[in-house]
C-alpha cells in the first residue's frame, strides 16, 4: 500500500474543462474531456490548459535544478490522475485534498489502478474571478504560491526522493484548478 503525503491547498487559481491530451502530452498534462472553447484564455481552453501544465512542470524542474536536485520525469499515470482530479474539483465545485464524498488521494490512485508508487505527494492550486489569462502569469502565481507555502508544497517540490510527476489543469468560466502529483517508486 503506498505511503501518501498529503499537502494542504495553496492560494488561488483558474480552471476549464478541456479535451483529452495526446498520449505524448499526457505524461505532462492530462486534461478532462469537455468543451474546448474560446474564452478570456484565448481560442482554445485545451491549448491554454496544456500550456499551463507543461510550463508548471518545466518551472518546477528549473526550481529543482537551482537547488542541485535532479529534474522530475513526467509520468503519464500521475498526469491522468492529476487531470481527472482538477476536472472533478471544477465539475463538483469544490477545492481540497478530499472530495465531498470523502475520497482522498489514496482512493483516487486506487480507482485509477495507479498502485506502483511507494510515496505520492499532491499540490493543488486554484484561482477564480477576475484573472489575468496570460499563461505565464498563471504559472508564476501557482509556482510561487507553492514555493512560499508553509503547508508542505515547497517540500514536495524539492524532495529529492520524489522523482516522477504529472500535472493536470482544468478551466471553466472564471476558474482554474491545477493539480500536481509527485511520486517515488
Amino acid at each position: 500500500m503506498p505511503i501518501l503525503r498529503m499537502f494542504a491547498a495553496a492560494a488561488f487559481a483558474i480552471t476549464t474543462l478541456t479535451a483529452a491530451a495526446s498520449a505524448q502530452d499526457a505524461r505532462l498534462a492530462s486534461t478532462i474531456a469537455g468543451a474546448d472553447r474560446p474564452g478570456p484564455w484565448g481560442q482554445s481552453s485545451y491549448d491554454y490548459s496544456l500550456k499551463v501544465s507543461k510550463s508548471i512542470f518545466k518551472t518546477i524542474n528549473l526550481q529543482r535544478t537551482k537547488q542541485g536536485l535532479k529534474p522530475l520525469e513526467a509520468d503519464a499515470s500521475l498526469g491522468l490522475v492529476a487531470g481527472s482530479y482538477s476536472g472533478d474539483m471544477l465539475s463538483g465545485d469544490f477545492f481540497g485534498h478530499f472530495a465531498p464524498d470523502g475520497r482522498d488521494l489514496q482512493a483516487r490512485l486506487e480507482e485509477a489502478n495507479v498502485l506502483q508508487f511507494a510515496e505520492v505527494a499532491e499540490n493543488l492550486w486554484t484561482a477564480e474571478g477576475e484573472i489575468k489569462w496570460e499563461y505565464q502569469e498563471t504559472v508564476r502565481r501557482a509556482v510561487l504560491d507553492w514555493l512560499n507555502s508553509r503547508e508542505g508544497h515547497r517540500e514536495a517540490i524539492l524532495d529529492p526522493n520524489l522523482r516522477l510527476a504529472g500535472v493536470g489543469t482544468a478551466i471553466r468560466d472564471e476558474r482554474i484548478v491545477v493539480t500536481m502529483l509527485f511520486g517515488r517508486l
Side-chain angles (χ1 to χ4, degrees), residues 12-184:
F12 300 101
I14 306 168
T15 313
T16 305
L17 293 177
T18 60
S22 71
Q24 181 180 8
D25 291 337
R27 290 177 298 161
L28 294 179
S30 173
T31 54
I32 305 305
D36 184 25
R37 62 184 179 84
W41 47 81
Q43 286 301 305
S44 170
S45 55
Y46 169 76
D47 290 346
Y48 182 85
S49 296
L50 189 59
K51 251 192 232 186
V52 167
S53 293
K54 285 181 171 183
S55 295
I56 284 176
F57 191 90
K58 184 177 179 178
T59 303
I60 293 297
N61 271 337
L62 288 172
Q63 293 298 318
R64 287 176 62 91
T65 56
K66 283 182 184 178
Q67 298 296 319
L69 300 171
K70 292 183 179 179
L72 296 164
E73 295 177 36
D75 182 86
S77 63
L78 291 175
L80 290 170
V81 173
S84 178
Y85 194 55
S86 289
D88 286 352
M89 285 187 278
L90 276 183
S91 62
D93 197 28
F94 71 95
F95 181 76
H97 295 284
F98 293 90
D101 63 5
R103 287 180 308 125
D104 62 4
L105 177 55
Q106 175 73 44
R108 288 183 266 123
L109 292 168
E110 289 173 2
E111 286 171 8
N113 202 29
V114 177
L115 307 172
Q116 67 270 33
F117 295 97
E119 182 179 13
V120 178
E122 178 178 64
N123 283 2
L124 304 176
W125 186 84
T126 190
E128 62 184 300
E130 292 189 29
I131 298 165
K132 290 184 179 180
W133 286 96
E134 296 88 18
Y135 83 92
Q136 299 94 332
E137 176 62 16
T138 300
V139 170
R140 186 190 71 76
R141 283 182 58 199
V143 172
L144 283 177
D145 286 346
W146 286 338
L147 289 172
N148 293 326
S149 170
R150 295 185 182 158
E151 299 175 358
H153 299 96
R154 179 182 184 83
E155 289 80 359
I157 290 168
L158 300 178
D159 186 329
N161 297 314
L162 299 174
R163 299 291 318 280
L164 300 167
V167 180
T169 300
I171 306 166
R172 185 177 63 202
D173 302 324
E174 293 295 316
R175 185 173 178 222
I176 186 169
V177 176
V178 178
T179 302
M180 185 164 190
L181 298 178
F182 304 85
R184 175 177 63 86

